[in-house]
């Protein structure tokens, strides 16, 4: 049986509900020629309370539902007829025996219907909108079944327009992006039409052309009650001649004439114009630009030596008091056009950011947490990253939801010993993890997703608020992983500002929530709505800030890479995998540190037999940990970091040999080996595997046993690292067992195809390796290794 890609007819969409691991069903069905079985999928069922993914559920390879589209209607009817006979325990007809084996993996086969199109989150969204304005229209996004044939896509749009017209609705925006199989309409329907969709009845809910109906994607940033910091006028030295910008922000319109930003930020207007955003309301983009260029201001860090590109994607409607994605446009289209303007050029113009390697994306869809399937926003970033060779730094998202504290009442909470309260809150946050899933597009794989930790440089002041933590653990609002197919997310964490604990007694118990008051947080530039000052600052918290600091670190890494390349007679522009090297080095210095030790002691379940589960939980909060950039970009006599990059074909192995310092042989001194591999696979936007290929770091036997004398430190479990696009290991030991291979340490990069469409594709990657010995060792390993090594991969099939 073959598949014509032009056929994705909704009338022939079937839902398969499997029993047990879906791979067994897929393998059995593939034997019958169903190579297109994984055209799309639905993973583990959501948490019944939050609607988010159940983080304690079985891994997503035990999926419950998936669908396929039959090549012909006759084929669909024949398949349903066979299934009906199977359900009645009838024997198969001649030639049908193999189908009965496949059916043994299924609980049900049914036609795609309104239950699949309209999920509970959409129903709740419509309910909220109608509660706010019972007679007002409601805006939703409609995913059409993607058609490879343009004529079929036009026909589907015309069909949708006709259906909407009949109920008094209309299309406000329509975007098609073929690379991610995205054909989506932003629609507006009157209140009665919205009510029908909520109840899963009516012509829109049952339109054959419609695959899914979702809430309108929207990012909003509110300044809240915070006011500019009351301090002296900032005296900022004018920038020197700046190097070309290698970073850009997709965010709000920055306040270009602010003392901290003047002559440092170049705005590229695409969808959002300056006339749409009053200067007094340019909070979010101004803060992000400031944090990237200057860091958290109280630290007194030196400004970056580069300029910054900014493509505004947030407007500030006059009837509202926030910055948000434009109400009449699909955010996916806005982001897509912004990146094209930077890297490819739009409307016949030259690319506005040809040297941009890192794009700060401190935006997320508040209405779309990651549940089961990769969201379109995540698929877009993954595709653009692979296509243009850029690294997106993405905020994990902020969850403001209240959660049970474990205390009997508010009086007991406030009277508790600070240490006891901290431990109780850590456990309460862990217990609420099912309500804290990543916000789209934080689950994307080719990006680096950043969570926020409870840290800043603000001075303590007298106030009545509860500071929940005395150490750098995840703050109260930071969203947590895992990501697609339970991949490790967030990748890293960084300072997001200290968030206080708001609290109150509720009917179901005592609850706590993250509270931002302006007394703490990261300090950055801001507009002054009162006097119009161009030097005011403000404190804020959240994952947006943490992502901005990581982008700043990324620029520092790129600066260091450029210095090395220039010394070798090359250039940054010719370094085609610079974005991957930057990602690898951002992760390379990350570790859990004391926070990991504390959480390992505080999180359930206790005992040495539950180490794997505890580490899995910690990973959802901290990822690989907080990066230490200085360890990566600066050498030391007892430490050397090596960097390699290449591209590899699936089912191949690249072999690297690293000279062994004498001090690491037959020594009882502490030795540490850190390895970080990151790659950028093409993505199949609707397959279960999603990634086109998997890479791994292996030893000479193709395994992860590595070398005697070193062992894993407190870090994510190796199995958690294999599901994404980054592998990171820290191996440490002081045993006397020698490294016996005189040819040097064997470090292999192995590739495996996960999708037949990409078997001939070269997969770009970057590999960072650090060798380190105790500070009291006499050998200068930096000099001895750097003189000996000339990395040259040998490729073996």
């Amino acid at each position: 049986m073959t598949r014509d890609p032009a056929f994705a007819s909704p009338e022939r969409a079937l839902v398969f509900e499997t029993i047990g691991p879906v791979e067994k069903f897929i393998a059995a069905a593939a034997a019958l020629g169903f190579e297109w079985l994984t055209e799309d999928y639905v993973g583990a069922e959501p948490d019944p309370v939050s609607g988010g993914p159940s983080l304690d559920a079985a891994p997503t390879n035990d999926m419950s539902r998936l669908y396929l589209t039959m090549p012909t209607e006759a084929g669909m009817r024949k398949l349903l007829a066979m299934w009906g006979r199977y359900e009645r325990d009838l024997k198969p007809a001649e030639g049908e025996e193999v189908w009965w084996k496949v059916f043994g993996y299924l609980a049900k086969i049914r036609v795609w219907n309104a239950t699949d199109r309209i999920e509970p989150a959409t129903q709740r969204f419509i309910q909220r909108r109608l509660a706010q304005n019972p007679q007002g229209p409601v805006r939703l996004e409609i995913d059409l079944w993607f058609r490879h044939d343009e004529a079929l896509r036009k026909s589907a749009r015309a069909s949708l327009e006709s259906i909407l017209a009949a109920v008094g609705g209309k299309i406000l925006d329509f975007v098609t992006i073929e690379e991610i199989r995205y054909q989506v309409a932003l629609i507006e329907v009157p209140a009665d039409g919205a009510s029908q969709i909520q109840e899963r009845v009516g012509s829109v809910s049952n339109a054959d052309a419609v695959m899914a109906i979702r809430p309108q994607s929207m990012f909003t940033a509110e300044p809240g009650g915070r006011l500019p910091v009351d301090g002296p006028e900032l005296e900022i030295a004018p920038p020197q001649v700046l190097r070309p910008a290698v970073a850009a922000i997709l965010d709000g319109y920055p306040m270009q004439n602010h003392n901290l930003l003047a002559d440092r930020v170049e705005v590229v207007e695409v969808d959002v114009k300056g006339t749409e955003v009053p200067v007094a309301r340019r909070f979010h983009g101004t803060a992000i630009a400031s944090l990237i260029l200057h860091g958290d201001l109280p630290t007194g860090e030196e400004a970056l030596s580069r300029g910054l590109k900014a493509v505004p994607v947030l407007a500030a409607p006059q009837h509202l008091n926030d910055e948000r994605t434009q109400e009449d446009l699909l955010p996916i289209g806005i982001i897509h056009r912004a990146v094209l303007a930077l890297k490819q050029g739009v409307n016949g113009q030259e690319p506005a950011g040809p040297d941009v390697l890192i794009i700060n994306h401190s935006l997320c869809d508040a209405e779309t947490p990651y549940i089961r399937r990769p969201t379109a926003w995540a698929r877009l970033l993954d595709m653009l990253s692979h296509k243009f060779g850029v690294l997106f730094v993405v905020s994990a998202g902020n969850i403001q939801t209240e959660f049970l504290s474990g205390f009997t009442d508010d009086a007991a909470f406030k009277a508790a010993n600070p240490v006891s309260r901290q431990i109780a809150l850590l456990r309460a946050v862990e217990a609420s993890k099912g309500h804290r899933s990543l916000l789209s597009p934080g689950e994307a794989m080719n990006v680096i997703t950043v969570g926020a930790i409870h840290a800043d440089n603000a001075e303590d002041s007298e106030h009545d608020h509860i500071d929940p933590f005395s150490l750098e653990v995840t703050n109260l609002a930071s969203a947590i992983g895992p990501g697609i197919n339970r991949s490790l997310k967030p990748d890293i964490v960084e300072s997001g500002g200290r968030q206080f604990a708001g609290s109150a007694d509720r009917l179901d118990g005592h609850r706590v929530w993250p509270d931002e008051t302006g007394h703490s947080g990261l300090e950055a530039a801001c507009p002054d709505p009162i006097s119009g000052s161009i030097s005011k600052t403000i404190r804020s918290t959240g994952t947006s800030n943490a992502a901005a600091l990581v982008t700043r670190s990324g620029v520092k890494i790129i600066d260091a890479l450029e210095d090395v390349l220039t010394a070798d007679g090359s250039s940054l522009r010719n370094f085609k995998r610079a974005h991957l090297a930057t990602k690898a080095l951002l992760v390379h210095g990350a570790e859990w540190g004391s926070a990991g030790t504390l959480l390992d002691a505080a999180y359930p379940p206790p005992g040495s037999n539950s180490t794997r589960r505890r580490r899995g939980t910690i990973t959802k909060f901290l990822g690989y940990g907080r990066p230490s950039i200085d360890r990566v970009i600066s050498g030391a006599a007892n430490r050397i970091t090596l960097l390699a990059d290449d591209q590899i074909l699936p089912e191949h192995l690249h072999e690297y040999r690293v000279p062994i310092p004498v001090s690491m042989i037959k020594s009882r001194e502490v030795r540490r080996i850190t390895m970080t591999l990151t790659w950028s696979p093409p993505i199949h936007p609707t397959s279960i595997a999603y990634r086109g290929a998997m890479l791994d770091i292996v030893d000479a036997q193709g395994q992860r046993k590595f070398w005697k004398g070193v062992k894993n430190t407190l870090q994510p479990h190796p199995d958690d690292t294999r599901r994404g696009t980054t592998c990171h290991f820290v191996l440490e030991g002081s045993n006397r067992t020698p490294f016996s291979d005189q040819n040097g340490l064997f470090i292999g990069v192995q590739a495996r195809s996960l999708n037949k469409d990409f078997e001939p594709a070269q997969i770009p990657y970057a590999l960072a390796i650090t060798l380190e010995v105790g500070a009291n060792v006499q050998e200068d390993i930096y000099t001895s290794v750097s003189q000996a090594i000339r990395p040259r991969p040998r490729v073996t099939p």
Side-chain angles (χ1 to χ4, degrees):
M1 185 177 294
T2 60
R3 176 189 177 218
D4 181 351
F7 282 101
S9 178
E11 296 87 350
R12 294 184 286 276
L14 297 177
V15 176
F16 285 63
E17 298 187 0
T18 66
I19 301 173
V22 73
E23 287 94 338
K24 292 183 179 180
F25 170 55
I26 293 172
L32 297 175
F34 283 93
E35 296 179 359
W36 40 273
L37 180 68
T38 58
E39 186 68 15
D40 198 4
Y41 74 92
V42 181
E45 291 301 308
D47 180 270
V49 176
S50 67
S54 177
L55 302 185
D56 290 323
T60 48
N61 59 0
D62 290 350
M63 294 176 187
S64 59
R65 289 182 286 146
L66 64 153
Y67 82 79
L68 62 83
T69 51
M70 295 295 294
T72 65
E73 187 171 350
M76 183 197 75
R77 295 184 182 280
K78 180 178 179 181
L79 183 59
L80 289 174
M82 285 192 293
W83 172 251
R85 297 202 305 277
Y86 173 83
E87 281 192 307
R88 297 194 299 273
D89 292 328
L90 299 178
K91 292 183 178 181
E94 184 177 352
E96 294 179 345
E97 294 84 0
V98 66
W99 281 104
W100 260 239
K101 178 181 178 181
V102 172
F103 290 159
Y105 296 108
L106 296 177
K108 183 183 293 186
I109 301 178
R110 59 178 176 79
V111 178
W112 188 268
N113 58 38
T115 302
D116 304 293
R117 294 187 182 97
I118 306 161
E119 296 197 344
T122 303
Q123 293 177 303
R124 292 192 293 269
F125 173 81
I126 296 173
Q127 185 178 27
R128 291 198 305 271
R129 288 291 185 267
L130 293 178
Q132 294 167 358
N133 186 358
Q135 303 304 318
V138 176
R139 294 185 175 185
L140 299 161
E141 293 182 15
I142 287 190
D143 290 52
L144 300 179
W145 295 87
F146 185 79
R147 318 297 185 94
H148 293 269
D149 183 88
E150 185 177 0
L152 290 176
R153 292 201 297 269
K154 290 181 178 179
S155 175
R157 175 173 180 170
S159 174
L160 177 61
E161 289 175 337
S162 177
I163 292 169
L164 289 173
V167 298
K170 60 183 177 181
I171 294 177
L172 301 175
D173 192 21
F174 196 92
V175 174
T176 300
I177 305 174
E178 293 189 47
E179 296 101 318
I180 61 171
R181 304 188 184 187
Y182 178 85
Q183 186 180 19
V184 174
L186 174 62
I187 70 165
E188 184 176 84
V189 291
D192 55 349
S195 294
Q196 288 188 335
I197 294 174
Q198 181 190 358
E199 296 169 6
R200 294 173 173 162
V201 298
S203 57
V204 179
S205 301
N206 292 282
D208 287 335
V210 173
M211 175 184 172
I213 303 176
R214 296 181 286 106
Q216 180 183 10
S217 301
M218 182 67 66
F219 172 84
T220 60
E222 300 181 25
R226 292 176 288 112
L227 294 174
V229 173
D230 185 15
E233 293 287 309
L234 289 172
E235 296 182 3
I236 304 296
Q240 304 298 316
V241 176
L242 297 175
R243 289 194 280 179
V246 294
I249 65 171
L250 308 181
D251 211 281
Y253 211 111
M255 182 181 169
Q256 289 173 277
N257 67 334
H258 193 285
N259 284 349
L260 289 168
L261 307 186
D263 300 323
R264 298 177 188 270
V265 179
E266 179 186 347
V267 173
V268 179
E269 292 187 345
V270 181
D271 282 301
V272 178
K273 312 301 180 185
T275 54
E276 301 175 75
V277 190
V279 174
R281 293 173 61 187
R282 298 180 182 181
F283 280 91
H284 202 267
T286 299
I288 296 303
S290 173
L291 289 169
I292 293 172
L293 290 169
H294 301 280
D296 187 10
L297 290 175
T299 65
E301 293 183 28
E302 185 177 352
L304 293 180
S305 62
R306 295 183 183 272
L308 181 68
K309 301 278 185 177
V311 186
V313 296
L314 301 180
Q318 291 185 357
H319 61 289
L320 297 170
N321 190 36
D322 57 26
E323 298 172 84
R324 58 176 57 203
T325 46
Q326 291 167 295
E327 295 178 300
D328 295 336
L329 296 176
L330 288 162
I332 303 298
I334 296 172
I335 298 297
H336 189 216
R337 290 186 291 272
V339 177
L340 292 182
L342 288 170
K343 302 301 296 180
Q344 182 175 291
V346 294
N347 301 325
Q349 298 177 339
E350 292 296 314
D355 297 313
V356 166
L357 294 171
I358 185 167
I359 298 177
N360 191 92
H361 189 289
S362 289
L363 312 174
C364 51
D365 185 357
E367 292 294 343
T368 310
Y370 164 63
I371 303 175
R372 302 195 303 258
R373 284 184 283 184
T375 61
W377 205 327
R379 301 198 312 263
L380 175 70
L381 297 191
D382 280 335
M383 180 274 291
L384 292 172
S385 176
H386 179 78
K387 180 177 181 178
F388 292 116
V390 294
L391 173 63
F392 289 95
V393 180
V394 180
S395 55
N398 302 308
I399 309 299
Q400 305 294 337
T401 308
E402 298 179 0
F403 58 94
L404 292 171
S405 71
F407 285 85
T408 54
D409 54 36
D410 203 43
F413 174 74
K414 291 178 178 177
N417 174 280
V419 175
S420 300
R421 183 170 54 217
Q422 174 174 271
I423 294 173
L425 281 176
L426 286 173
R427 291 174 176 166
V429 168
E430 188 276 334
S432 71
K433 60 183 181 291
H435 306 262
R436 304 170 69 93
S437 56
L438 298 167
L439 296 182
S440 171
E443 78 275 20
M445 281 197 173
N446 287 339
V447 311
I448 188 163
T449 304
V450 184
I453 57 176
H454 188 77
D456 57 39
N457 291 280
E459 294 183 0
D460 291 330
S461 58
E462 294 295 329
H463 53 76
D464 297 329
H465 306 287
I466 299 293
D467 190 340
F469 307 125
S470 62
L471 74 167
E472 298 176 354
V473 295
T474 308
N475 70 23
L476 290 178
S478 186
I480 67 169
I484 300 166
N485 291 339
R486 297 186 71 81
S487 59
L488 187 151
K489 289 289 175 177
D491 297 275
I492 56 178
V493 292
E494 187 50 278
S495 296
R498 290 175 296 153
Q499 294 176 336
F500 298 110
S503 63
D505 294 322
R506 305 295 190 205
L507 291 177
D508 60 345
H510 183 256
R511 287 186 170 268
V512 172
W513 61 88
D515 192 7
E516 185 177 58
T517 65
H519 293 291
S520 63
L522 307 187
E523 188 175 346
C526 77
D528 183 1
I530 299 174
S531 65
S533 169
I534 59 172
S535 63
K536 289 293 186 180
T537 61
I538 199 168
R539 296 190 185 101
S540 61
T541 68
T543 58
S544 290
N545 292 349
L549 292 186
V550 169
T551 298
R552 175 177 172 81
S553 295
V555 174
K556 291 182 178 180
I557 288 173
I558 293 170
D559 286 348
L561 289 173
E562 185 172 46
D563 292 343
V564 172
L565 291 166
T566 301
D568 288 343
S570 185
S571 69
L572 185 62
R573 183 168 286 187
N574 292 331
F575 187 14
K576 301 302 182 185
R577 291 175 282 275
H579 67 300
L580 290 174
T582 302
K583 183 180 181 182
L585 292 173
L586 280 168
V587 174
H588 194 60
E591 58 182 12
W592 287 352
S594 59
T597 303
L598 175 69
L599 295 180
D600 190 49
Y603 278 174
S608 58
N609 293 333
S610 301
T611 299
R612 169 72 178 88
R613 288 183 60 189
R614 280 200 310 280
R615 287 198 183 187
T617 297
I618 297 170
T619 299
K620 294 181 180 76
F621 286 86
L622 298 180
Y624 288 113
R626 188 180 187 182
S628 176
I629 303 305
D630 289 341
R631 287 180 53 83
V632 171
I633 62 178
S634 61
N638 68 323
R639 182 179 72 244
I640 184 170
T641 297
L642 308 169
L643 181 67
D645 72 286
D646 206 337
Q647 54 185 11
I648 186 171
L649 283 168
E651 320 311 325
H652 281 64
L653 172 73
H654 284 188
E655 175 184 326
Y656 292 88
R657 292 282 184 170
V658 180
I660 308 171
V662 174
S663 56
M664 296 185 74
I665 301 175
K666 296 183 178 180
S667 171
R668 287 190 181 278
E669 294 293 337
V670 173
R671 62 181 75 89
R672 173 181 284 195
I673 303 171
T674 305
M675 301 174 290
T676 307
L677 171 70
T678 187
W679 66 99
S680 177
I683 58 117
H684 192 295
T686 55
S687 77
I688 287 177
Y690 189 69
R691 300 174 296 173
M694 171 187 172
L695 270 61
D696 206 355
I697 303 174
V698 297
D699 61 15
Q701 285 72 47
Q703 299 179 356
R704 284 184 166 185
K705 295 181 179 179
F706 301 117
W707 315 281
K708 296 179 180 179
V710 290
K711 60 182 180 179
N712 289 335
T713 62
L714 185 62
Q715 60 185 324
H717 190 278
D719 288 347
D720 290 334
T721 72
R722 306 185 76 168
R723 302 187 183 105
T725 57
T726 299
C727 291
H728 175 68
F729 301 101
V730 180
L731 307 173
E732 190 175 281
S734 57
N735 293 339
R736 200 176 186 84
T737 306
F739 295 100
S740 58
D741 195 331
Q742 298 304 309
N743 294 320
L745 294 174
F746 179 101
I747 298 177
V749 174
Q750 185 170 273
R752 179 165 64 90
S753 174
L754 297 178
N755 191 293
K756 290 185 177 181
D757 291 351
F758 305 121
E759 285 182 351
Q762 294 272 8
I763 310 301
Y765 70 85
L767 172 67
I769 304 165
T770 292
L771 306 181
E772 185 174 3
V773 294
N776 59 337
V777 173
Q778 297 301 310
E779 182 185 8
D780 184 342
I781 73 167
Y782 182 90
T783 300
S784 59
V785 173
S786 60
Q787 289 177 348
I789 193 164
R790 294 290 184 272
R792 292 289 185 272
R794 293 197 298 273
V795 183
T796 57

